[in-house]
Amino acid sequence: DDTRFFKFGVNIQGDCSRIQRDFGVSVENVHDLITVSRRKDAQMKITNASLEGLVQSVLNRDMKKEGGARIGDWSNWPLLDTQVDYAAKDVCLAYDVLACLRERGVKLTAHKKRKTQNEPDGTTETAVKSKARKKEVAAKKENEADNIPSEAQSNFFAMMRNRSMEPPKKGHKSIPRGSSSCLQGLCFVISGVLDSMDRNECHEYIKEHGGTFTKSLTKKVTHILHDHGEIGPSKKKQAEERGIPIVGEDYLLQLVQNESSV
């Protein structure tokens, strides 16, 4: 939470929120390069909201990275040379984009956190005491943890590992098509990584066939879709307690295939 350090990246507000939620650490002085590039004084139009898109639009260059490194196992140490190269290019190219925007005179404004209800504004005596109390609580939690990851921290690292993976059979599997009602009455939650479809593709597939999807385990959920990566411990526990089956992408495809062959 030290504001002396400048934090920047692409689409990083979500990561900052998860760090706050899972570790109790407030991330300050954060600058999202997508937000910065869309300011009026940047005088540019971003159509691809990714680091690759920024590199093309701002630096007029193509990103060339080793694709296989992204789906490797980033939990092993030491990292492979391809992984180090992959990560280093992310950092260096993001810095080059930032430097170019600053050279153009684009003003940088740190991302502001939304205040929670009754949160002090930082200028009163109450605010000072509140901030000191937060640091005291954070220090206590760190000592109690004794370097053992909590469930929330485990969830965070599992999520980051899942994000480093891609569907291993993407583009190499036949996807059956059925009627617009063959998944009617079914509601799915995707956890981890599927076999051949990314989440957006699977959501569209479910919707196309009359099913619904959600991000959390509501009462309407009938199935959890999972093939690779990790399922959050809390989500897995809830599924077991409520008798919600955990099935793979092939199960979903088979449902559509069976209906279309009738």
Side-chain angles (χ1 to χ4, degrees):
D1 61 356
D2 195 330
T3 57
R4 294 175 301 173
F5 294 94
F6 189 96
K7 297 97 176 176
F8 65 94
V10 175
N11 298 322
I12 57 174
Q13 287 94 336
D15 292 331
C16 294
S17 298
R18 283 183 282 270
I19 290 173
Q20 168 77 51
R21 180 195 66 197
D22 295 343
F23 296 91
V25 176
S26 177
V27 186
E28 307 288 350
N29 196 16
V30 176
H31 302 264
D32 190 288
L33 296 180
I34 296 294
T35 302
V36 173
S37 66
R38 286 175 172 166
R39 290 176 56 92
K40 289 184 179 179
D41 52 358
Q43 297 183 348
M44 60 188 305
K45 185 177 181 180
I46 302 296
T47 56
N48 182 359
S50 65
L51 179 58
E52 181 180 6
L54 282 178
V55 169
Q56 291 174 341
S57 300
V58 179
L59 305 178
N60 195 27
R61 292 166 55 186
D62 290 325
M63 284 185 67
K64 294 181 179 179
K65 300 198 298 183
E66 177 58 49
R70 186 173 186 272
I71 60 175
D73 187 353
W74 289 76
S75 62
N76 285 338
W77 188 263
L79 297 176
L80 300 174
D81 289 344
T82 53
Q83 292 174 313
V84 173
D85 182 65
Y86 186 97
K89 284 182 178 178
D90 263 3
V91 175
C92 293
L93 288 171
Y95 181 81
D96 286 347
V97 169
L98 175 67
C100 186
L101 290 172
R102 296 181 77 168
E103 286 178 2
R104 295 182 182 184
V106 178
K107 295 181 180 180
L108 302 180
T109 303
H111 172 67
K112 294 182 180 180
K113 297 186 301 175
R114 294 180 179 177
K115 287 186 180 181
T116 57
Q117 190 174 9
N118 299 324
E119 181 181 358
D121 61 9
T123 59
T124 65
E125 182 179 351
T126 302
V128 174
K129 290 182 179 179
S130 176
K131 193 170 185 178
R133 176 59 180 163
K134 285 181 180 179
K135 288 186 177 182
E136 181 182 336
V137 171
K140 184 178 179 180
K141 286 182 178 180
E142 184 176 350
N143 291 332
E144 290 176 347
D146 193 25
N147 296 324
I148 300 176
S150 67
E151 181 177 327
Q153 292 171 347
S154 297
N155 288 342
F156 177 85
F157 289 119
M159 182 272 298
M160 294 304 289
R161 286 191 290 271
N162 286 341
R163 285 181 59 180
S164 71
M165 298 177 66
E166 289 184 345
K169 296 181 181 177
K170 189 174 179 63
H172 298 285
K173 184 185 284 189
S174 177
I175 307 296
R177 300 290 171 179
S179 72
S180 60
S181 60
C182 59
L183 296 179
Q184 190 170 0
L186 302 181
C187 182
F188 300 87
V189 167
I190 300 174
S191 184
V193 181
L194 298 181
D195 207 28
S196 69
M197 292 187 282
D198 62 35
R199 293 195 177 204
N200 289 335
E201 289 171 337
C202 189
H203 287 163
E204 287 300 316
Y205 186 78
I206 292 170
K207 186 177 178 181
E208 178 185 333
H209 293 91
T212 58
F213 56 86
T214 180
K215 293 183 179 180
S216 56
L217 285 181
T218 66
K219 293 181 180 180
K220 296 182 180 180
V221 174
T222 58
H223 299 80
I224 293 178
L225 291 174
H226 170 78
D227 282 312
H228 308 281
E230 303 171 56
I231 300 179
S234 59
K235 185 176 291 184
K236 187 174 182 179
K237 183 179 179 181
Q238 287 184 59
E240 292 173 349
E241 291 174 348
R242 293 165 52 184
I244 301 174
I246 300 174
V247 299
E249 177 187 283
D250 285 344
Y251 179 89
L252 173 68
L253 301 182
Q254 192 63 51
L255 289 176
V256 176
Q257 178 68 47
N258 290 344
E259 194 277 343
S260 62
S261 61
V262 174

